[in-house]
């Protein structure tokens, strides 16, 4: 991120995810999770309020977890993937979540306290560049849309920690947002875009190099093709937002004179030429400001404030990453 030091990045990320920890938009979280590959059955098997809609993939889909294994989730948040992993590991396994945010950890532990059969779940405070666990603890390490939040200078340390924590033959199964090309200044310099997992996205080649330098083999990095605009186009109710595309100089939406309201074409910020609804109440419902990216309960949508007509998929993608410690 241009002209931003590591301390500022960590502070901004901490503030953003403390706010996210207070989210109650369950329907929003369900829509985002399903768009990134979680099944309805998976979502029904875990506490609903552990899913804050912060995923960018489903790392468990490539983790091949087995009963009795130990899994460490780097950047576990409210415990979404930890709770799901625990259902696959059985009572003899362990699911350990690592997070630096006190508010997220408090939420995860509060949820844990209300669930049955949770003895195989643990949440620990720690920076993912220096995890407070012994070497060779894990059979598998997962992470979901978190490594891109680490300042560039610290990213290699994350992969070294993964290698240290894994047993021989252990595997990495990560979902993350990576850059398809250099980001324009309007995105790379935006703090909201950094905490929203966009501005800090690494190039695929960098990610692979860091994994190999840390000692991993059999590295596979694949673009899932998932639509990242889901963050921007989903409301608190889990449904696609409407938008008002009337030019600033147009008559007021409730005047029935001119304004154009519709559902946006995904990623384009464009609308059809249908006239605004003449009824004031209908117009108000239709013409929510296009730039509004915060559901009614105040949860900041992960992608932050995006410049008009920006298609996130043009610059970044949702990738699945797999690697093995030899």
């Amino acid at each position: 991120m241009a002209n931003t030091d590591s301390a500022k990045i960590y502070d901004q990320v901490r503030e953003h995810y403390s706010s996210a920890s207070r989210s109650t938009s369950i329907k929003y979280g369900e829509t985002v999770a399903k768009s990134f590959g979680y099944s309805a059955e998976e979502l029904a098997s875990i506490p609903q309020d552990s899913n804050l809609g912060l995923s960018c993939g489903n790392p468990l889909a490539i983790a091949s977890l087995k009963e009795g294994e130990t899994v460490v989730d780097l950047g576990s948040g409210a415990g979404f993937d930890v709770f799901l992993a625990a259902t696959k590991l059985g009572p003899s396994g362990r699911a350990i979540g690592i997070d630096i945010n006190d508010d997220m950890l408090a939420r995860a532990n509060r949820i844990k306290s209300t669930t049955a059969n949770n003895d195989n779940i643990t949440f620990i405070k720690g920076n993912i560049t220096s995890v407070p666990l012994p070497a060779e603890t894990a059979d598998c390490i997962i992470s979901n849309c978190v490594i891109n939040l680490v300042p560039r200078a610290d990213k290699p340390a994350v992969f070294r920690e993964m290698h240290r924590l894994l047993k021989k033959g252990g595997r990495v199964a990560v979902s993350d947002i990576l850059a398809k090309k250099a980001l324009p200044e309007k995105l790379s310099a935006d703090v909201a875009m950094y905490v929203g997992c966009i501005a800090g996205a690494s190039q695929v080649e960098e990610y692979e190099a860091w994994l190999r330098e840390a000692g991993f083999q059999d590295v596979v990095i694949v673009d899932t093709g998932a639509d990242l605009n889901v963050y921007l186009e989903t409301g608190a109710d889990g449904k696609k937002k409407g938008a008002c595309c009337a030019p600033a100089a147009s008559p007021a939406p409730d005047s029935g004179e001119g304004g154009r309201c519709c559902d946006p074409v995904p990623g384009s910020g464009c609308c059809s030429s249908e006239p605004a609804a003449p009824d004031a109440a209908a117009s108000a419902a239709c013409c929510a400001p296009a730039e509004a990216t915060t559901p009614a309960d105040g949860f900041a949508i992960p992608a932050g404030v995006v410049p008009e007509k920006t298609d996130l998929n043009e610059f970044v993608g949702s990738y699945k990453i797999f690697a093995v410690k030899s």
Side-chain angles (χ1 to χ4, degrees):
M1 183 177 178
N3 302 318
T4 304
D5 60 27
S6 293
K8 181 177 180 181
I9 290 174
Y10 283 123
D11 286 344
Q12 293 286 349
V13 168
R14 189 176 294 110
E15 179 181 346
H16 178 82
Y17 286 92
S18 287
S19 175
S21 73
R22 296 186 285 275
S23 170
T24 56
S25 296
I26 291 174
K27 292 299 182 182
Y28 171 82
E30 288 179 353
T31 297
V32 171
K34 287 178 180 178
S35 72
F36 289 121
Y38 290 91
S39 67
E41 291 74 20
E42 286 177 314
L43 297 179
S45 72
I46 60 173
Q48 284 187 318
D49 49 355
S50 67
N51 175 19
L52 303 181
L54 299 173
S55 303
C56 64
N58 180 358
L60 298 177
I62 59 172
S64 300
L65 300 184
K66 303 178 182 64
E67 189 167 339
E69 289 190 319
T70 294
V71 175
V72 174
D73 182 6
L74 299 185
S76 52
F80 179 38
D81 286 319
V82 173
F83 289 111
L84 186 54
T87 66
K88 303 175 185 295
L89 299 173
S92 61
R94 295 174 66 201
I96 304 171
I98 307 294
D99 207 283
I100 195 63
N101 190 290
D102 289 326
D103 294 319
M104 281 293 188
L105 289 167
R107 179 164 181 152
N109 279 307
R110 184 169 62 251
I111 295 169
K112 176 186 171 183
S113 71
T114 66
T115 62
N117 305 316
N118 61 17
D119 291 342
N120 63 345
I121 295 173
T122 306
F123 295 103
I124 299 173
K125 183 175 182 177
N127 192 314
I128 64 173
T129 61
S130 181
V131 178
L133 287 173
E136 300 186 359
T137 291
D139 297 286
C140 182
I141 288 179
I142 62 173
S143 187
N144 197 340
C145 213
V146 171
I147 298 173
N148 57 60
L149 294 170
V150 176
R152 178 182 172 79
D154 296 347
K155 280 187 170 73
V158 177
F159 299 100
R160 291 195 295 268
E161 269 301 85
M162 288 179 171
H163 195 270
R164 182 186 71 83
L165 290 169
L166 281 171
K167 301 173 184 177
K168 185 175 182 179
R171 60 211 183 271
V172 167
V174 168
S175 293
D176 211 355
I177 291 176
L178 300 182
K180 297 177 179 178
K181 59 183 179 180
L183 301 180
E185 180 70 11
K186 67 180 180 181
L187 299 185
S188 64
D190 189 338
V191 172
M193 293 301 291
Y194 196 100
V195 300
C197 302
I198 305 301
S202 305
Q203 299 282 337
V204 173
E205 295 78 10
E206 293 176 311
Y207 221 87
E208 181 173 2
W210 288 326
L211 281 163
R212 293 195 183 281
E213 287 168 5
F216 287 101
Q217 296 182 348
D218 301 326
V219 177
V220 178
I221 302 177
V222 178
D223 187 350
T224 67
D227 182 9
L228 294 182
N229 292 318
V230 67
Y231 296 132
L232 309 177
E233 297 171 355
T234 304
D237 59 0
K239 297 179 180 178
K240 187 175 180 179
K241 294 178 182 178
C244 180
C245 302
S250 295
D254 60 359
S255 70
E257 300 177 7
R260 294 183 292 116
C261 293
C262 61
D263 287 328
V265 177
S268 71
C270 299
C271 290
S272 71
S273 57
E274 293 298 320
D279 176 74
S283 292
C286 172
C287 290
E291 69 272 15
T293 58
T294 304
D297 67 358
F299 169 51
I301 286 181
V305 180
V306 180
E308 186 180 0
K309 298 184 181 179
T310 296
D311 179 2
L312 297 181
N313 301 309
E314 178 183 350
F315 301 102
V316 293
S318 165
Y319 286 76
K320 55 185 178 183
I321 299 100
F322 184 86
V324 177
K325 177 179 178 179
S326 59

